[in-house]
Amino acid sequence: MRVNVDMSSCQHYGQCVFAAPEVFDLDGDGKLQYRVEAADDQRAAVEAAADACPMQAITIVD
């Protein structure tokens, strides 16, 4: 599964990090880092992260 974050929309609130910490992380400067390719067993967590994103910046591409 491919994860896409629209970085022009992302405001680095970090809600995705709480929902899917194996895929999303905030670096030392508070900027979002994420894995573009995520294992299929992470789908539920990534979907929860997309739902939790206040900016709706996260999409999943199959």
Side-chain angles (χ1 to χ4, degrees), residues 1-53:
M1 156 185 59
R2 191 166 175 82
V3 179
N4 184 51
V5 177
D6 180 353
M7 295 306 285
S8 65
S9 295
C10 178
Q11 296 296 307
H12 313 285
Y13 290 119
Q15 297 303 310
C16 56
V17 177
F18 295 113
E22 294 178 1
V23 178
F24 301 96
D25 191 26
L26 294 176
D27 68 13
D29 293 327
K31 301 291 184 181
L32 181 68
Q33 303 292 315
Y34 67 99
R35 293 182 21 207
V36 175
E37 296 291 333
D40 285 335
D41 65 351
Q42 292 294 315
R43 178 172 292 277
V46 174
E47 287 175 350
D51 289 343
C53 178

